[in-house]
């Protein structure tokens, strides 16, 4: 599971090229990415990159996945 999450974070979010270098920024961003991936997977989504594009088109979509709207 660890390798699968890392691969998605690197391939989808280009994490290895992140320029966040100060304080706990890297850990915070990794946690946020893991939360996004986990939430999408719990919703039954398998293609995280396509889901990111889909949800980016309408700001209400991520809220709907979280059950907020």
């Amino acid at each position: 599971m660890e390798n699968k999450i890392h691969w998605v974070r690197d391939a989808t979010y280009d994490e290895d090229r992140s320029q966040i270098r100060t304080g706990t920024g890297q850990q915070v961003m990794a946690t946020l990415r893991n939360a996004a991936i986990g939430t999408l997977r719990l919703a039954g989504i398998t293609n995280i990159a396509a889901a990111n594009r889909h949800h980016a088109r309408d700001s209400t979509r991520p809220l709907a996945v979280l059950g907020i709207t």
Side-chain angles (χ1 to χ4, degrees), residues 19-50:
Q19 295 189 10
I20 298 172
R21 302 278 188 261
T22 58
T24 58
Q26 292 175 325
Q27 290 85 1
V28 170
M29 289 305 299
T31 300
L32 291 172
R33 290 177 185 118
N34 285 344
I37 293 165
T39 301
L40 292 171
R41 287 212 173 121
L42 283 174
I45 296 167
T46 56
N47 188 330
I48 303 299

Side-chain angles (χ1 to χ4, degrees), residues 54-67:
H54 173 77
H55 287 87
R57 290 186 198 114
D58 181 350
S59 62
T60 62
R61 290 175 182 167
L63 299 175
V65 169
L66 295 171

